[in-house]
Each structure stands twice: as structure tokens, then as C-alpha cells.
Amino acid sequence: MGTSTAKDRGKRRIIEKVRVIDPSRGLDASGHLVCEGGKILSCGEGPAPAELITPEAERIDASGLVLAPGFQDVHVHFREPGQEDKETIATGSAAAAAGGFTDVATMPNTTPVVDTAGAVRLILDRAREAGHCRVHPIGAISMGLAGEKMAEYADLVDAGAVGFSDDGRPVADGGLMRRAMDYSRILGVPMISHPEDLSLSAGGVMHEGAWSTRLGLRGIPYAAETAFIARDIELCRLTGARLHVCHVSSRQAVQLIRRAKEDGLPVTAETAPHFLDLSDADCADYDPRFKMNPPLRTIDDQEALIEALQDGTLDCIATDHAPHTATEKNRPFAEAPFGVIGLETSFAVCHDRLVRRGGMSLSRLIELMSGGGARILGLPKASLDAGAPSDFTLLDCEETWTPRGRDFASKGRNCPWLGRSLTGRVVATHLGGSFSFVRSSRLAESARA
Amino acid sequence: MLRNKDLLDLESLTAAEIKLILDTAEAFLAVMRRPVPKVPILRDKTIVNLFFESSTRTRISFELAEKRLSADIVNFSAATSSLSKGETLKDTVDNILAMRADMVVMRHSASGAARYLADRIPAGVVNAGDGMHEHPTQGLLDMLTMRQRMGTLQGKRVVIVGDIMHSRVARSNIWGLTKMGAKVTVCGPPPMIPVQMEEMGCTVDYDLRHAIEGADAINVLRIQLERQTVQTFPGNREYARLYRLDDEMLAATKPSCFVLHPGPMNRDVEITSEVADGRRQVILDQVTNGVAVRMAVIYLLSGGAPENLGENLN
């Protein structure tokens, strides 16, 4: 947005007649939020306390909307440095704000790779300049993602890295992963696994099943994911280090994680919106907008993932936002790169699929979209309690809309939901002392009134 | 009439459309037996042959079919086109659009490439093989050859032997034959049979001797050594031991059972020379039928009406 002045940032803002959902307090009620100078002064049921309503305060009638903690995404690709044609930290974080996010964690597979403190600082600086959301860099497990030599983890953590991953290039060497996990116990950050046995997924471009057989596309079997997760869970058992498992896509993977949690291991895991709403059948038209890694699995896997989000086996929803240029994606399916964007559609897709059609409570969805940062990466806890930072998002759960490429803040247009109708939309995002994103003209009118 | 401007696969054709193509091909076979085996039907049409993957027999067969229909022809092949200079398929498509070709025949190594092209140009597209997906004209010529021998495909049992996983010929055969009422069994070493194959409407048998019992036709596929990016079988010697069709095996089948092979053959790997040159093979009939089938497809996609065929051939 960048529309607010320094004066706006400090000023008192009162959001009224809004449905407030704060999973950290079990709160879901018609209420208010008052904030000033980047802090929440009051948030709860009923009207704002009379003593906080000052004449100069900006009052926003948000009736019909939902107010929730700012969303946090533990898995995005902003491509900067090195691949700015796909996305930049500025465009990626603008997309995050438009999607209701106040915190995102970026994967280190940039050019150069985020394996030095300098690279971490570059990302933090660029994010601060852009100012759309807080960006938390994830460092590389191995130098250059080459899977050979460990990065200087403590140096990276001091610079601001919140975790380590070789996302996209799994650590094939079990010995290296063991030592990295062992080391991470003195760092207080998790090792993050991109679970893929490359010898099993080699050449594959979609889920291995009836559809890959029919389409004549090489398949990626379940075992490419599960064999790797099983290894990393055993390394977690061996080292006692915290393990986070990325983009879980299948029923069998969920079962492995469920058992690890039952065993008391410090394992967390995420899944992505596309796995909850789409399946391998969506690849039937050879449209590369449905190509990502891990691949879209089956309806049965979809059901298992939703169940796992309900029962806590999966800790959060992360988009794996992976922008590519139109040129790169405009190729035959087998030749196009893996990856889809997701920040600007995540809430809509998850609300439509999980709440509207799936029977999940809105409160649980908000917890899954906002709770990951704290639980997994040690970021500040998403909360609307008095004294907490005034990071929140306003949602319209009734609005039905159709994503169009030209409306995205992201440079990416590789979105599976283009042209598909979705119910639920982010209206505004508030970061610290000001709005980082505002969509609705209605909100502006209310604010003026 | 065919419903679409393109022939991309046999999966989306109806039995009536397949029958129409096969019947039309029979009429063109008659033309091919004339002293001047050429008709002026497509005198005003331009056809572009785009071969991004090397091919000899399919490309020649298409060219011959096009020439016998009197079309103007432009040939691109991977080695000579700008594709080797890094041009994307999209740029190639734009160029074809600018040239205003009436029809494109394309072979490409990516499954779905023909669909990609067809979705982006108004000209008709004939898929001459897309990756591991389909090779519809091969499926049609196999079916024409079988129909000539058996009179009908309804209720007949066809066994397809070989590397089913990598075979676009197998997929087109399965869709086409099952639509025409035939029963299809695929046979080969397990790593060469893709998962959930049965969902395409065929049965799977890993034992060749057992699979060919009572079969009406056996379609032996080429072991595509060039597509084995990883080893999917121990080697040619072991393959031959388990899956090579020889005279002894053939002797145990119905006397009327005959053998097809889409070529080019790896003699003595998937088929013995005795069988390949024997009296129960129809391999050269397939080649002749290939030209007729391709003439039929191009004729029908160019808007040629089946009922005018007799008149057009005069």
C-alpha cells in the first residue's frame, strides 16, 4: 500500500462491530479492536471501552467482516537475489500482504544461495525497504545446496535466519542431515526437510497413478516422499533435534508424522492449499499450472490431509508460493518447471474448501494459517491480546470472487485457481502501526465516516 | 464427420468416428492400387510436418499420404529447425500461425505437446506421437490391419507385448481397440507396465505364454532402448528369454492368430527373425495401411465429407 503517512502510523484506530477470532484465547465473538502506535490496546467482545474512544481516533465500521491475527507462512519463495524475473522481495511481500500475511519465511534456494550472513542481511534489508510484511529468511543446510558441506549455522542465526532447509534439493546424504540436526540443538531453530528421494522421483512430473499412466507422464510415487520422511523421523529420534517436514502431500506421509508425534518426537509439519483442493485429475489437460513438487495426489490423500489438519497431526498451512515467469510455464507439461503461486489465494482456497465445504471451524483455519510461525520457527506468537503488536487481517467470508492474473501483486501468474470461483477474501491487512494492504472501498468509506 | 479439428488421441474418439476413419482408409487403399495413385483433393491446402523427434517411417508415411492427396508440404525436423537454437514450442507455434498453414502434423518428445499446439492454433493438428502419450494414426493402422484379417474387432482378443510404460503405440491401441469391442491384454516385465494400467480397460499378464493363449492377434512392440533413461529390465538376453515371440510360442496359439509390429524391429530381441519374416506376420500390410489411414485422417480433418468421397476420388 504505502499510502499511510507517519502520522497515520502512530494514530489510534478503532475497528468496530467486527467478528473477532483469536485462536490464542479461544475468542470468537462480535467485538472490537483498538490499536495505537503499533500495539493493540484492547481487543475483545462487545464495543470498544468508552475511555479508549478519543475524538481524533480513526473509527472503522467492519460489520460483516472477520478480524483475525495476521497470517504467517513458513514456506515461500521470493526468488531474490538472482531470479528477479520470477519475483522480488518487494513484489512477493506485497502479495503476502494482499493475502493477509504479516510474516513469511523465505526458502534459501536463490542465486546466490542463502548460506552466508550477508545473504540473510540482504533479504532482511530488502524486506524492510519494501515494508509490506516481515520476511524471515531460512538458511541453507548445505553450502550452495550442494548437499556436501554444512553452512555456518550460528552465524546465519545471528544474522536473522529462523531455520535451515535445502528446499528443492533434499539432503540426500543421511550422515550430513544427522550431523546438521545434531548441531541444530544448540541453535534453537529447526532443520526443515524437503522430503524427496530423488532416485525415486527421478524424471517424474506428476503423481504416479492412474492419471500418469493414462496421460503418458512419468510418475512420482508416494514412496519418494514417505521413504525420506521415515529417514528424517528416525534422525529426529536419534538426535532429539527439532524437525519440520515441508509440503506433506499424502495419506501415508500423514501416518508417519502422526506416529512420530505419538512417540513424542519434536516433529512439526505443513501442507499446502493446493493439496487440499486439487488432485492429480486436474492434470488431465496437461496444464502446467497444476504442476508442482511434490505433485497433486488423489482425493483420498486430500481427505487424509484435511483430517490431519483437524486433529493437529499437521501444524499449519504453508503456501510453498513458487512464482515462475510466463515464458517458463508456457511449455508442454513435462518440460515446464514445478511450482505454483499461493499467497494471494491461500485464504480463499482454504476457506472455500475447508470451512465452506469441509466443515472446519473458521477459528481452526485461522489458527492453521497464523500459528505456524511461532510454533515452528519461533516467531512472535500470533495473538490479538492487549499489548501484542497490531498485526491483523480483515476477512470477508461471504464474498465470492474469481482470481485473475492481472490482479495479482505477485509477478507470478502460475496460479491453479485462475478463473475458478472462490468464496472468502482478504479485505485488509494491518502490520504494526498501519495498513499494509486495503482492498475494499467500503472500508475506506467507513474509515472516513 | 469428425467432431474436432484435430486428431490428438484415440481416447477422445467415438467408435463411430474410428469406424469412419477405417472405412475411409479402405477407400484410399483402392486409390493406392490405381496406376496413378494420386487424387487432387487437397490441391489448395498446405500441411506442415513438424518432427521434433527423429522418425523415418512415420514421417515418410505422412509425407506420402499428403502427396497422394496433392497437398503442398513443408517439412521441419529437429535437426534443421530453429528448435536446436533454443526456440520454444510457443515461438514455433507463432511462426506456423503466421505462415497460415492449414494443417500441422507433429511429433514431439513431450506428452501433451500435440494438445498444447492444438489449443493455440486454428489449424488442424494431427498427433504423430507425443512422448509416451499417444500415437493415434499408428493405433488406427494397427486396427485397420487387424480388421482386414479378422473381419471385425468386436469380441476379438489382442495381446500387446513389450515396454508398455514408454509406449504411445500401446496407449492408442488400448483406447482404440477397447472402443471397438476388442479385449486387450498387455504383457511385459513388471517395471515396464505402468501402475493402475487396468483402469484403461485392459488386463495385465506378466507371462507371455499364458497371455497369448487363445489370442486373435499379437502386437509386438519395439523395446525402446533410447527411452530407457534408467534400467527397467536386466538386459536384452534376459528379455528375449522371457518375452521374445518365437515360432514355438506361436505354434501354441490359435492357427489364425497373427503378429503385428509397429517397427523398427529389434530382431531377435522382442521378435525372432523367423516370426518377423514368417507367414503369420502382417508387418508390411501395416506399412501400406499406414499411408491409407493417414490419407483418411487428413481428408476428414480437412473437412472432406465421407459421402462425397466417391465423387472426390474420381
Side-chain angles (χ1 to χ4, degrees):
Chain A
M1 281 293 293
T3 52
S4 48
T5 63
K7 187 164 155 284
D8 285 340
R9 275 196 283 278
K11 90 186 210 187
R12 182 165 299 186
R13 197 165 274 135
I14 304 169
I15 319 282
E16 302 176 283
K17 296 174 189 159
V18 70
R19 179 179 169 196
V20 179
I21 298 182
D22 181 2
S24 75
R25 287 185 283 162
L27 176 68
D28 181 351
S30 173
H32 70 278
L33 179 142
V34 184
C35 63
E36 186 180 275
K39 295 277 182 224
I40 294 173
L41 301 180
S42 168
C43 177
E45 203 169 348
E51 66 274 19
L52 293 179
I53 305 175
T54 51
E56 69 282 7
E58 178 187 21
R59 298 178 71 166
I60 297 170
D61 179 343
S63 45
L65 301 184
V66 170
L67 191 153
F71 297 148
Q72 301 184 330
D73 191 334
V74 299
H75 191 150
V76 303
H77 298 268
F78 281 176
R79 308 300 191 196
E80 187 180 354
Q83 299 170 308
E84 292 83 356
D85 281 356
K86 295 175 194 268
E87 192 82 289
T88 64
I89 290 167
T91 57
S93 57
F101 294 87
T102 51
D103 295 89
V104 299
T106 51
M107 284 296 171
N109 57 338
T110 47
T111 316
V113 167
V114 184
D115 55 11
T116 61
V120 170
R121 279 192 288 267
L122 173 94
I123 291 169
L124 290 172
D125 287 348
R126 289 283 158 86
R128 219 172 282 125
E129 283 160 24
H132 304 302
C133 73
R134 283 179 296 262
V135 175
H136 307 277
I138 291 169
I141 292 176
S142 69
M143 293 302 291
L145 306 181
E148 288 161 10
K149 192 173 173 296
M150 289 193 266
E152 295 186 359
Y153 303 129
D155 198 34
L156 282 140
V157 168
D158 283 348
V162 293
F164 293 95
S165 172
D166 273 9
D167 192 64
R169 294 269 297 276
V171 182
D173 181 338
L176 173 65
M177 189 65 173
R178 181 220 170 143
R179 292 187 295 278
M181 287 178 71
D182 210 9
Y183 192 92
S184 76
R185 292 186 299 136
I186 61 170
L187 301 170
V189 302
M191 287 290 158
I192 300 169
S193 169
H194 165 111
E196 180 185 3
D197 182 326
L198 293 173
S199 68
L200 288 168
S201 63
V205 297
M206 71 173 290
H207 171 63
E208 181 177 285
W211 277 103
S212 64
T213 291
R214 187 165 173 164
L215 295 167
L217 292 170
R218 288 180 198 270
I220 299 174
Y222 286 120
E225 178 178 54
T226 49
F228 211 87
I229 292 179
R231 184 201 78 174
D232 284 348
I233 285 173
E234 290 314 307
L235 293 179
C236 176
R237 200 189 305 276
L238 181 67
T239 60
R242 283 170 55 210
L243 172 72
H244 176 66
V245 183
C246 288
H247 40 56
V248 170
S249 72
S250 66
R251 178 178 288 276
Q252 289 93 325
V254 162
Q255 283 163 353
L256 289 170
I257 291 158
R258 187 173 285 135
R259 210 182 59 199
K261 287 192 166 185
E262 282 165 7
D263 289 352
L265 299 178
V267 175
T268 54
E270 73 193 35
T271 189
H274 42 265
F275 296 130
L276 306 172
D277 191 48
L278 308 169
S279 72
D280 59 345
D282 285 298
C283 300
D285 292 331
Y286 294 100
D287 186 336
R289 286 186 300 119
F290 297 91
K291 180 179 177 183
M292 74 293 287
N293 184 24
L296 296 172
R297 305 287 187 185
T298 67
I299 299 293
D300 177 66
D301 295 298
Q302 218 181 73
E303 287 164 2
L305 292 168
I306 292 171
E307 205 180 287
L309 286 170
Q310 286 281 21
D311 71 17
T313 302
L314 294 175
D315 297 83
C316 68
I317 296 169
T319 60
D320 195 2
H321 179 82
H324 291 291
T325 67
T327 308
E328 289 164 331
K329 271 290 194 184
N330 189 4
R331 308 179 67 180
F333 192 92
E335 298 175 354
F338 290 107
V340 298
I341 57 170
L343 284 168
E344 290 169 85
T345 48
S346 183
F347 174 72
V349 168
C350 293
H351 175 266
D352 198 294
R353 177 67 186 93
L354 302 178
V355 179
R356 192 177 74 80
R357 287 181 282 142
M360 182 183 281
S361 73
L362 183 57
S363 178
R364 178 61 183 154
L365 171 62
I366 287 167
E367 189 174 24
L368 289 165
M369 289 190 67
S370 62
R375 195 169 323 153
I376 296 160
L377 300 177
L379 310 183
K381 188 173 162 185
S383 162
L384 296 176
D385 226 346
S390 45
D391 301 335
F392 59 86
T393 178
L394 284 165
L395 310 165
D396 185 340
C397 294
E398 306 300 321
E399 185 179 346
T400 296
W401 62 294
T402 304
R404 290 177 306 185
R406 65 172 182 273
D407 297 335
F408 288 139
S410 168
K411 285 191 179 183
R413 298 291 178 269
N414 46 319
C415 167
W417 295 278
L418 293 179
R420 293 195 183 193
S421 168
L422 299 169
T423 297
R425 198 170 193 187
V426 175
V427 173
T429 309
H430 198 271
L431 174 71
S434 61
F435 280 104
S436 54
F437 171 77
V438 177
R439 185 189 313 279
S440 169
S441 53
R442 181 179 123 215
L443 196 65
E445 282 161 23
S446 312
R448 270 197 298 278
Chain B
M1 291 292 284
L2 301 179
R3 288 164 306 153
N4 295 318
K5 72 176 176 71
D6 315 297
L7 177 67
L8 305 181
D9 52 57
L10 296 190
E11 180 183 357
S12 59
L13 291 193
T14 62
E17 286 174 311
I18 292 172
K19 182 172 183 301
L20 171 64
I21 296 171
L22 299 184
D23 291 348
T24 308
E26 290 284 5
F28 282 114
L29 273 177
V31 170
M32 288 165 65
R33 283 191 288 265
R34 292 180 189 171
V36 181
K38 187 163 176 168
V39 283
I41 303 177
L42 299 185
R43 246 181 339 212
D44 52 345
K45 303 281 185 194
T46 303
I47 301 179
V48 179
N49 296 313
L50 274 177
F51 280 76
F52 294 118
E53 240 187 12
S54 64
S55 160
T56 305
R57 60 188 66 208
T58 301
R59 186 172 53 78
I60 289 176
S61 179
F62 268 108
E63 268 185 54
L64 198 53
E66 291 154 6
K67 285 179 173 164
R68 291 191 165 167
L69 291 167
S70 307
D72 289 326
I73 305 174
V74 185
N75 291 316
F76 281 89
S77 68
T80 59
S81 78
S82 19
L83 212 82
S84 50
K85 300 171 193 160
E87 185 175 87
T88 64
L89 187 52
K90 173 166 187 308
D91 291 327
T92 307
V93 169
D94 292 343
N95 273 283
I96 297 165
L97 276 176
M99 289 177 203
R100 305 193 181 283
D102 299 292
M103 190 176 290
V104 178
V105 174
M106 183 170 81
R107 166 168 291 189
H108 196 280
S109 60
S111 300
R115 168 75 182 272
Y116 176 97
L117 186 68
D119 284 348
R120 286 163 178 78
I121 65 172
V125 173
V126 181
N127 180 9
D130 61 328
M132 310 176 342
H133 177 224
E134 284 218 38
H135 189 354
T137 57
Q138 180 72 45
L140 290 163
L141 76 88
D142 289 345
M143 288 158 73
L144 180 62
T145 310
M146 290 184 221
R147 197 178 76 168
Q148 287 166 350
R149 286 289 283 229
M150 307 186 296
T152 177
L153 297 169
Q154 183 64 43
K156 301 295 182 185
R157 217 169 79 69
V158 179
V159 179
I160 307 171
V161 190
D163 183 359
I164 308 299
M165 165 93 88
H166 295 101
S167 178
R168 51 196 175 210
V169 177
R171 286 176 179 80
S172 286
N173 263 265
I174 293 166
W175 289 121
L177 286 165
T178 52
K179 278 172 198 285
M180 301 309 283
K183 294 194 274 292
V184 177
T185 299
V186 297
C187 182
M192 287 185 173
I193 311 283
V195 298
Q196 292 174 267
M197 193 73 214
E198 293 85 349
E199 292 192 22
M200 285 179 68
C202 59
T203 56
V204 175
D205 195 333
Y206 300 116
D207 178 346
L208 182 57
R209 275 171 205 281
H210 180 258
I212 61 177
E213 265 173 36
D216 295 292
I218 305 168
N219 198 347
V220 180
L221 302 179
R222 168 184 165 72
I223 290 300
Q224 297 186 305
L225 298 165
E226 69 279 9
R227 282 185 195 277
Q228 310 293 329
T229 50
V230 291
Q231 193 185 15
T232 54
F233 63 108
N236 288 354
R237 183 170 176 268
E238 178 131 322
Y239 186 87
R241 179 190 164 104
L242 296 174
Y243 294 102
R244 176 171 68 194
L245 190 67
D246 60 22
D247 272 343
E248 184 226 321
M249 262 192 229
L250 210 49
T253 62
K254 279 190 194 174
S256 60
C257 177
F258 58 97
V259 179
L260 301 94
H261 192 299
M265 286 184 278
N266 297 302
R267 281 175 182 262
D268 297 330
V269 181
E270 69 258 6
I271 189 167
T272 61
S273 279
E274 293 75 55
V275 175
D277 302 324
R279 35 174 208 92
R280 290 170 76 172
Q281 54 82 19
V282 291
I283 296 168
L284 294 178
D285 292 347
Q286 289 175 271
V287 176
T288 310
N289 287 336
V291 178
V293 155
R294 288 168 181 129
M295 288 174 81
V297 166
I298 293 166
Y299 171 75
L300 293 169
L301 290 179
S302 304
E307 57 274 18
N308 297 337
L309 187 59
E311 184 183 316
N312 282 330
L313 296 186
N314 289 326

